[in-house]
């Protein structure tokens, strides 16, 4: 800053050593199994207050990303838009899917703002170009600016323009590590509806064990667990989440947001859930 | 297109000779004088059906931009965020103003989609950097891609990051000519709540005359009318609108959306309202 003007030349990323990326699962903020879009207001209120209690804009930067849950998965599965666009009806479904995500995000950010957070919606599909399901181009100038102002950009999973298949789904799980790398984040916290990564499906096998840390020593073993047949059901989105996180070299932590206080503990560096440290 | 893949090298803009930018005033789609956000559902339904009746995706590209009306003006005036940010409460007001615009846009695009249009929300503040109230940087890759797919990007007035004053208002009236130039549009149509540009305030002076065309021959005279003291009240946003349109060298037309059929007539090139041709 110079004369109150933010200088273009400043490498904004270098100021964000304490940037935290908080991804909140769609299964936490919506009823993921509902066939119609349905918000979990109780969870949203609790989580908003928890984040507000620990967020200190003088000491950290924060980006929040949330999933779609029942606002996204049903319509995407029914219309097949995530695999590409072939019909006019799919074009309309692409538009309606985006509209629904904005509707959800509007509800989510209202909870955040009401809890006292300067949480501002950011629709990623307005500024992203995908190629075969992966981000090819994502202009972050506006988001960097909002972070400079000590606001909290709130992104969310969206259907996006894809050069090859016309439309693909840019999930929150892909946005989180992408932003973490580009914005030089200190840490990614995944607030999910499970306690972390397990050796097996804890619902099916009472001997399943939580893996407290994934690191270079046990990574091969964990990959086997996560891709092993007994584990497929467990992981649900967990294999995808961990795969995205493994490669970026930024500490990540997967915790359950359903236990009150876990988000605060993760912010404070407590070793709960599963920590991914490579 | 080659093998179903949109080539990066193709100058997308050159394909859009028939791109029309349709700006719909906030005073048309909301009750602009309401102190709380209030949609004008009747107007929205009529306008959506009118656009759907004339839109032919094989013959034209279309971008729609809408204003904020009672979703924006009250909160912006009350909190002063359009002139910059000085307090924490203003940061939250910035966030809440954006959230409200997304809420309005969600309602607006629902009408469009229900009318059969592949109308997809695009939040400009996610990808724009302003400087002293003017657009400095606006990455249009995603919007160009969506237009390639024959979708209709729907933008809207938003509060945005500003390098100098932290926040400024990027109005629909500024977005329209900016996009028209960058995307090589054929025409801008302003669908407002007045019949066009008048020599004086028609509500105050029954002798006020509609100016059917503004061109290089009468431009000086029109500028006098629009800045003259008797005209200031009339024009409301009209002086701003015309000023933005005058400089870009793309045909613009200002019509009243309150008369059924006017949007269709403007699309079809009928000489109604005021045409700006420089």
């Amino acid at each position: 800053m110079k004369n109150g003007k933010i200088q273009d030349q400043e490498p904004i990323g270098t100021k964000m050593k304490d940037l935290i990326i908080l991804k909140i699962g769609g299964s936490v903020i919506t009823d993921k199994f509902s066939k119609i879009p349905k918000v979990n207001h109780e969870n949203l209120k609790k989580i908003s207050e928890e984040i507000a209690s620990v967020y200190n804009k003088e000491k950290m930067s924060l980006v929040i990303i949330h999933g779609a849950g029942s606002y996204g998965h049903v319509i995407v599965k029914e219309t097949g838009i995530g695999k590409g666009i072939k019909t006019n009806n799919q074009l309309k479904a692409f538009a309606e899917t985006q509209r629904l995500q904005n509707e959800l995000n509007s509800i989510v950010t209202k909870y955040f703002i009401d809890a006292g957070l300067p949480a501002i919606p950011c629709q990623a599909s307005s500024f992203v170009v995908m190629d075969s399901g992966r981000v090819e181009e994502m202009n972050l100038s506006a988001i960097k600016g909002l972070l400079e102002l000590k606001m909290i950009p709130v992104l969310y999973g969206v259907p996006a323009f894809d050069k090859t298949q016309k439309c693909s789904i840019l999930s929150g799980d892909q946005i989180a590590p992408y932003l973490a790398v580009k914005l030089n984040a200190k840490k990614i916290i995944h607030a999910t509806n499970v306690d972390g990564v397990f050796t097996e499906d804890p619902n099916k096998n009472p001997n399943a064990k939580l893996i407290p840390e994934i690191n270079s020593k046990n990574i091969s073993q964990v990959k086997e667990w996560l891709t092993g047949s007994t584990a497929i059901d467990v992981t649900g989105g967990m294999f995808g989440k961990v795969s995205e996180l493994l490669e970026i070299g930024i500490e990540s932590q997967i915790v359950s947001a359903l236990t009150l206080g876990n988000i605060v503990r993760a912010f404070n560096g407590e070793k709960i859930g599963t920590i991914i440290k490579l």
Side-chain angles (χ1 to χ4, degrees), chain A:
Chain A
M1 300 272 286
K2 200 173 168 183
N3 303 325
K5 180 161 174 161
I6 296 162
Q7 298 297 300
D8 209 6
Q9 295 75 9
E10 285 178 357
I12 295 179
T14 58
K15 287 184 180 175
M16 290 180 195
K17 282 183 188 160
D18 291 316
L19 173 66
I20 291 176
I21 310 269
L22 173 64
K23 158 81 202 307
I24 305 170
S27 53
V28 175
I29 58 169
T30 74
D31 175 353
K32 197 169 182 174
F33 298 104
S34 168
K35 287 194 175 170
I36 55 165
K38 195 174 167 191
V39 169
N40 188 324
H41 291 280
E42 199 186 342
N43 280 354
L44 252 176
K45 190 165 192 304
K46 276 194 231 164
I47 288 170
S48 303
E49 288 167 0
E50 211 178 320
I51 300 169
S53 79
V54 75
Y55 176 66
N56 181 332
K57 73 183 173 65
E58 304 309 330
K59 292 192 179 164
M60 67 174 95
S61 297
L62 178 62
V63 171
I64 299 177
I65 300 162
H66 64 77
S70 51
Y71 274 71
H73 294 275
V74 179
I75 187 170
V76 169
K77 198 176 169 191
E78 274 178 8
T79 61
I81 59 166
K83 292 171 187 162
I85 300 281
K86 293 189 184 84
T87 68
N88 277 338
N89 279 338
Q90 282 182 315
L91 268 194
K92 275 186 275 175
F94 181 176
E96 173 63 8
T97 303
Q98 180 58 60
R99 199 195 65 74
L100 274 171
Q101 303 326 301
N102 287 14
E103 208 172 277
L104 171 62
N105 175 263
S106 236
I107 297 167
V108 172
T109 47
K110 178 136 182 53
Y111 275 100
F112 292 156
I113 293 168
D114 286 350
L117 298 165
I120 186 163
C122 288
Q123 183 198 325
S125 47
S126 309
F127 58 96
V128 75
V129 171
M130 309 283 288
D131 193 2
S132 303
R134 304 298 301 175
V135 173
E136 182 178 276
E137 184 191 334
M138 195 168 182
N139 186 292
L140 300 178
S141 303
I143 287 178
K144 286 177 183 173
L146 294 168
L147 284 169
E148 271 293 311
L149 302 188
K150 298 177 180 172
M151 298 190 80
I152 303 173
V154 183
L155 290 86
Y156 42 107
V158 286
F161 169 66
D162 189 298
K163 281 169 67 181
T164 302
Q165 62 192 57
K166 296 187 178 177
C167 173
S168 58
I169 304 303
L170 174 57
S171 70
D173 284 346
Q174 187 180 160
I175 297 173
Y178 184 90
L179 287 186
V181 170
K182 293 283 180 185
L183 300 174
N184 192 20
K186 182 187 171 195
K187 185 175 179 178
I188 299 173
I189 298 170
H190 268 279
T192 69
N193 65 344
V194 291
D195 283 324
V197 184
F198 284 81
T199 53
E200 292 181 74
D201 184 347
N203 296 319
K204 289 185 181 168
N205 190 338
N207 294 324
K209 282 177 192 148
L210 178 76
I211 308 169
E213 187 171 311
I214 300 176
N215 55 39
S216 57
K217 287 177 190 167
N218 68 353
I219 179 65
S220 306
Q221 176 66 64
V222 172
K223 276 188 181 167
E224 270 176 44
W225 284 327
L226 287 178
T227 51
S229 58
T230 55
I232 283 175
D233 295 334
V234 194
T235 55
M238 196 56 82
F239 181 62
K241 243 185 266 302
V242 174
S243 301
E244 298 276 2
L245 295 173
L246 279 175
E247 290 164 24
I248 60 171
I250 292 169
E251 184 174 315
S252 310
Q253 186 167 15
I254 297 171
V255 301
S256 169
L258 305 185
T259 304
L260 199 68
N262 267 358
I263 291 176
V264 172
R265 289 183 196 106
F267 268 85
N268 289 335
E270 285 186 41
K271 290 184 177 175
I272 56 166
T274 297
I275 293 172
I276 301 172
K277 220 175 191 173
L278 290 183

